[in-house]
């Protein structure tokens, strides 16, 4: 035993105000942009939607960006664009947020879970290959924590088998693979604009694609399956519209898109700051026993939505639950991303899944911890995180 008394045992906490694991940054330019829309003629599906989509396509290097109401709707639109139906299977990594596989179920398909590489927690292409069947229609690659997957292997595999590759890029806006931005090189990429993500519109999502027909289809899909929107009809002086497919109301409105435009202008600097924080964390944990940051692939530029470490609880005299509570008491808003999806009660009940299906994801789940990571975090905030982790772990070290 060494060091100061833990806050959980009545000692002085490292921080008195909780440092969250992620949070949005809103400035006066963001606020002014939203207020301008409130004073304008269009609150929903007006000029800001197109402008935001153009800006998003430019930043990601994609031909098209289609704005929708959240990242989950973006994934659903991808499944629809890939023509996923009840006769199909969709391969999804076990280590992700449930929305990645829920989207396949919305289309009536069966999600099949692939295991992850224990060093990076990115989907293992070899396990994807093992799980392919004649019914496989799509593969979802999740750029976990903001690190692009092994797209060399995944693209080759999907092309060879005629399967659609979808990127769940909800963690990875601003990342790149072999110099190509995430969103520019896979058939369909889904992004989230939730407040903990890289940029926010409150709630929001975007799909990027280079395929003209897929983009047009997703614009219809987000608007009830109707081929024109209200503004287009107004401009054409026409009342006539046709519903050509079953769609949803998944629109993102002009208030949100105005915010998206001003947020997007700050993306580059924010991602740089995330990388800077990550390298400070890497340096600080080098040589700290029982704490291991995830591995980084050499061919990627990481976008660091999350900074995840693995803690070897077995080597300490303590459970994950105790360390989690102790770190919270020290003022760290730490989190765990994620409970492997196949272990959720719904997935066990509906598909008969359970422990043993994806051993690497299950073992990782027992050890992972997401530390605070957001661009307005200061160097002093980061030092607090490192100090609290060291304080707690050294208190429990054998
Ligand atoms: C945030 C997130 C989603 C869902 O996005 P929402 O905008 O919250 O619907 C999907 N997949 C992953 C990996 C995410 O992190």
């Amino acid at each position: 035993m060494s060091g100061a008394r833990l806050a959980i045992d009545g000692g002085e906490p490292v921080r008195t105000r909780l440092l969250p694991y992620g949070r949005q940054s809103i400035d006066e330019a963001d606020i002014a942009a939203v207020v301008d829309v409130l004073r304008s003629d269009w609150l929903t599906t007006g000029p800001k939607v197109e402008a935001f989509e153009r800006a998003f396509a430019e930043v990601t290097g994609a031909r098209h960006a289609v704005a929708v109401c959240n990242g989950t709707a973006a994934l659903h639109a991808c499944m629809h664009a890939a023509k996923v139906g009840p006769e199909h299977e969709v391969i999804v990594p076990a280590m992700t947020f449930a929305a990645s596989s829920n989207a396949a179920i919305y289309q009536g398909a069966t999600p099949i879970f692939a295991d992850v590489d224990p060093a990076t927690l990115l989907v293992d292409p070899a396990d994807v290959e093992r799980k392919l069947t004649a019914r496989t229609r799509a593969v979802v690659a999740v750029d976990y924590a903001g690190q692009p997957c092994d797209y060399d292997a995944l693209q080759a595999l999907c092309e060879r088998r005629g399967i659609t590759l979808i990127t769940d890029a909800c963690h990875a806006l601003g990342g790149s693979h072999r110099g190509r931005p995430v969103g520019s090189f896979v058939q369909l990429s889904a992004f989230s604009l939730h407040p903990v993500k890289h940029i926010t519109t409150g709630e929001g999502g975007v799909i990027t694609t280079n395929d003209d027909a897929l983009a047009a289809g997703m614009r219809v899909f987000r608007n009830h399956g109707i081929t024109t929107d209200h503004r287009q009809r107004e401009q054409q002086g026409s009342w006539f519209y046709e519903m050509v497919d079953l769609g949803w109301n998944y629109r993102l409105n002009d208030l949100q898109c105005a915010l998206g435009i001003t947020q997007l202008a700050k993306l580059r600097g924010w991602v740089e700051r995330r990388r800077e924080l990550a390298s400070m964390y890497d340096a600080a944990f080098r040589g700290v026993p029982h704490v291991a940051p995830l591995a980084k692939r050499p061919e990627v530029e990481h976008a660091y939505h999350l900074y995840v470490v693995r803690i070897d609880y077995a080597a300490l005299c303590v459970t994950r639950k105790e360390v989690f509570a102790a770190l919270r008491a020290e003022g760290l808003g730490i989190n765990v991303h994620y409970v492997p999806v196949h272990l959720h009660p719904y997935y066990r009940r509906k598909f008969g899944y359970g422990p043993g299906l994806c051993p690497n994801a299950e073992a990782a789940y027992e050890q992972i911890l997401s530390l605070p990571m957001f661009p307005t975090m200061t160097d002093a905030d980061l030092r607090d995180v490192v100090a609290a982790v060291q304080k707690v772990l050294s208190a429990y070290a054998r």
Side-chain angles (χ1 to χ4, degrees):
M1 292 284 164
S2 67
R5 195 148 129 223
L6 296 182
I8 202 164
D9 297 329
E12 197 67 32
V14 172
R15 293 180 67 95
T16 45
R17 260 189 68 209
L18 192 82
L19 183 68
Y21 85 87
R23 73 164 272 125
Q24 72 277 14
S25 312
I26 299 289
D27 64 13
E28 290 305 318
D30 295 319
I31 293 166
V34 174
V35 169
D36 279 351
V37 174
L38 283 169
R39 295 202 171 100
S40 78
D41 289 339
W42 295 99
L43 295 190
T44 191
T45 320
K48 296 296 180 192
V49 178
E50 276 171 48
F52 174 60
E53 289 181 338
R54 267 198 310 277
F56 201 94
E58 196 163 305
V59 161
T60 52
R63 208 169 142 80
H64 302 280
V66 179
V68 292
C69 57
N70 55 59
T72 305
L75 287 161
H76 187 188
C78 291
M79 295 294 163
H80 183 265
K83 298 192 166 56
V84 169
E87 67 278 29
H88 293 137
E89 294 172 349
V90 175
I91 299 181
V92 185
M95 182 54 74
T96 186
F97 183 54
S100 311
S101 49
N102 290 352
I105 305 172
Y106 296 160
Q107 290 294 107
T110 303
I112 302 291
F113 290 100
D115 210 348
V116 294
D117 174 338
T120 59
L121 304 190
L122 298 174
V123 71
D124 173 8
D127 202 46
V128 171
E129 184 153 22
R130 276 191 290 277
K131 287 177 173 162
L132 290 176
T133 72
R135 293 175 62 201
T136 309
R137 183 77 195 107
V139 172
V140 179
V142 177
D143 292 342
Y144 178 82
Q147 168 155 238
C149 293
D150 181 356
Y151 285 107
D152 296 336
L154 292 169
Q155 282 189 303
L157 179 63
C158 289
E159 269 167 34
R160 201 161 68 236
R161 302 286 288 254
I163 291 166
T164 304
L165 181 59
I166 297 168
T167 295
D168 180 339
C170 291
H171 292 186
L173 179 59
S176 60
H177 181 269
R178 297 200 187 281
R180 296 172 306 173
V182 169
S184 68
F185 58 88
V186 167
Q187 199 166 8
L188 293 157
S189 302
F191 296 86
S192 167
L193 310 176
H194 182 280
V196 296
K197 306 291 167 64
H198 290 81
I199 66 162
T200 192
T201 57
E203 294 274 358
V206 181
I207 311 100
T208 60
T209 182
N210 296 327
D211 187 305
D212 299 351
L214 292 183
M218 290 187 289
R219 291 206 167 89
V220 171
F221 177 78
R222 74 166 173 204
N223 189 36
H224 310 278
I226 291 171
T227 46
T228 58
D229 64 44
H230 177 71
R231 181 160 164 263
Q232 286 167 332
R233 286 195 294 282
E234 194 99 329
Q235 283 169 344
Q236 291 158 5
S238 168
W239 49 265
F240 184 72
Y241 67 86
E242 280 182 306
M243 185 190 142
V244 295
D245 193 3
L246 182 63
W248 272 256
N249 179 352
Y250 278 172
R251 296 185 302 257
L252 194 66
N253 66 46
D254 261 38
L255 293 164
Q256 294 170 301
C257 287
L259 179 55
I261 292 165
T262 50
Q263 287 268 299
L264 207 47
K266 291 167 275 194
L267 175 69
R268 186 193 282 269
W270 283 345
V271 172
E272 271 168 27
R273 177 60 181 162
R274 285 174 181 273
R275 288 181 185 142
E276 199 172 80
L277 291 165
S279 69
M280 287 161 68
Y281 270 138
D282 287 345
F285 290 126
R286 210 163 285 139
V288 175
H290 315 307
V291 183
L294 295 182
K296 194 170 158 289
R297 302 173 57 80
E299 73 276 24
V300 307
E301 283 207 285
H302 202 311
Y304 289 106
H305 162 55
L306 301 174
Y307 188 84
V308 177
V309 293
R310 290 181 75 146
I311 296 184
D312 187 358
Y313 298 103
L316 297 156
C317 320
V318 68
T319 63
R320 189 234 326 250
K321 203 173 160 191
E322 289 170 284
V323 169
F324 196 91
L327 288 172
R328 281 273 174 155
E330 298 297 340
L332 301 194
I334 37 127
N335 220 316
V336 172
H337 299 94
Y338 296 91
V339 178
V341 182
H342 63 284
L343 299 182
H344 286 299
Y346 171 80
Y347 280 85
R348 292 181 190 233
R349 194 169 71 237
K350 186 167 168 74
F351 301 103
Y353 295 152
L357 192 66
C358 295
N360 293 341
E362 291 163 33
Y365 167 60
E366 299 298 332
Q367 296 192 324
I368 49 179
L369 205 58
S370 303
L371 301 180
M373 168 59 85
F374 53 94
T376 51
M377 214 174 119
T378 64
D379 292 6
D381 290 334
L382 184 133
R383 285 193 294 271
D384 284 347
V385 177
V386 174
V389 169
Q390 286 182 315
K391 178 183 175 189
V392 167
L393 294 188
S394 66
Y396 291 122
R398 275 189 226 272

